[in-house]
Amino acid sequence: MSDEGWEARLGWTHGLISAVPAEREIALRHHMATGAAVLAALQRMNGHWHRTRADYSDPAFRQSIAEHIAAQRYGFPSGIWQQVSAKDVPHWPGLPYVLNFLEWEARYPDLWTKHARHWGTKESWLRALAVPGHEDITRERLAAMLELIVARAYRCKDRRYVGIARVIDSPELRNRLASVAEQPNPWARLHATYVLDMLRHPERPNTRAVWKRHVAGVRRTV
């Protein structure tokens, strides 16, 4: 799929992370409209499925399936639901739109939760992005997201950002995280010190048990 194809379908998602409220509102309306189109196509497909008893030889049923697939390509995040090999992720043309999805949740978590709550998609892409070879612009966007994530209260799947921190690790990133850890916000201290500790100990598994021990240890010191 070409870069032009991606931008034509999902270029509007840049507005979801815009600093300009009016641009975010326009993008949100577009998001809601495409979501409604995906849902309507799904309902039509389900109707044909029940009517034909899943008879794939029925032309109307096959057409409804094609229409649903087409609608999903313009939805968000359904438009980024694709299998990509790990080695291809850093240069995949759909990557900017994946970053838009994650950055939308990082910058405007309440809005994201209301209109695009896909925790499984978030986790899947955080795992997929934890690979070496990202270009500088991607590394910067991921580092900026990490700063936002560690400075806020923990949200579902946030722990998966550790894998990304490890592949973009640098003295600059550690300095940025250390600066967050010095904030008076207790969540910032908790999250930032955890990521820093995981960077200093790359052999340590990023498991729920390790996270819980870190939380307990921090609480004993406050």
Side-chain angles (χ1 to χ4, degrees):
M1 188 172 295
S2 66
D3 293 325
E4 291 77 16
W6 279 100
E7 187 63 17
R9 291 187 298 109
L10 297 177
W12 60 270
T13 64
H14 302 308
L16 294 172
I17 57 174
S18 172
V20 181
E23 293 179 358
R24 294 201 304 274
E25 180 60 29
I26 291 172
L28 181 60
R29 288 201 297 268
H30 192 113
H31 170 68
M32 295 172 69
T34 56
V38 171
L39 179 59
L42 175 62
Q43 291 173 336
R44 289 194 298 271
M45 184 183 71
N46 287 340
H48 285 291
W49 186 88
H50 289 291
R51 182 180 61 79
T52 66
R53 298 181 183 274
D55 180 4
Y56 288 94
S57 67
D58 182 86
F61 182 36
R62 292 202 306 272
Q63 178 63 27
S64 70
I65 293 173
E67 291 175 352
H68 180 234
I69 293 173
Q72 285 184 309
R73 294 179 68 244
Y74 289 85
F76 200 59
S78 58
I80 57 172
W81 290 346
Q82 295 192 27
Q83 293 292 327
V84 187
S85 64
K87 66 181 180 62
D88 293 333
V89 168
H91 307 290
W92 181 52
L95 180 58
Y97 311 96
V98 171
L99 297 179
N100 285 352
F101 176 71
L102 295 173
E103 189 170 337
W104 187 22
E105 193 264 348
R107 293 190 178 280
Y108 307 104
D110 293 339
L111 200 61
W112 182 94
T113 301
K114 182 178 180 180
H115 296 285
R117 185 175 56 189
H118 290 266
W119 302 113
T121 302
K122 173 184 174 180
E123 181 178 28
S124 294
W125 279 114
L126 289 178
R127 287 177 178 270
L129 287 166
V131 294
H134 289 299
E135 297 178 356
D136 288 346
I137 188 170
T138 302
R139 293 173 63 90
E140 175 54 35
R141 287 191 68 179
L142 291 172
M145 275 190 270
L146 267 165
E147 283 191 274
L148 293 171
I149 296 303
V150 299
R152 73 181 186 192
Y154 182 87
R155 284 170 59 85
C156 185
K157 310 304 181 182
D158 278 354
R159 185 166 48 84
R160 295 300 176 189
Y161 274 95
V162 168
I164 291 176
R166 282 173 163 168
V167 299
I168 66 170
D169 189 15
S170 69
E172 179 186 357
L173 177 64
R174 296 194 186 199
N175 287 338
R176 291 166 77 163
L177 293 173
S179 178
V180 175
E182 294 174 356
Q183 295 178 10
N185 182 341
W187 278 109
R189 177 182 176 185
L190 184 67
H191 286 180
T193 54
Y194 178 73
V195 177
L196 283 168
D197 191 52
M198 298 300 280
L199 291 179
R200 297 185 187 109
H201 299 278
E203 78 288 349
R204 186 169 296 166
N206 180 33
T207 62
R208 187 184 301 274
V210 173
W211 164 250
K212 287 183 175 180
R213 285 198 297 271
H214 175 78
V215 172
V218 171
R219 285 175 175 171
R220 284 196 298 269
T221 65
V222 296

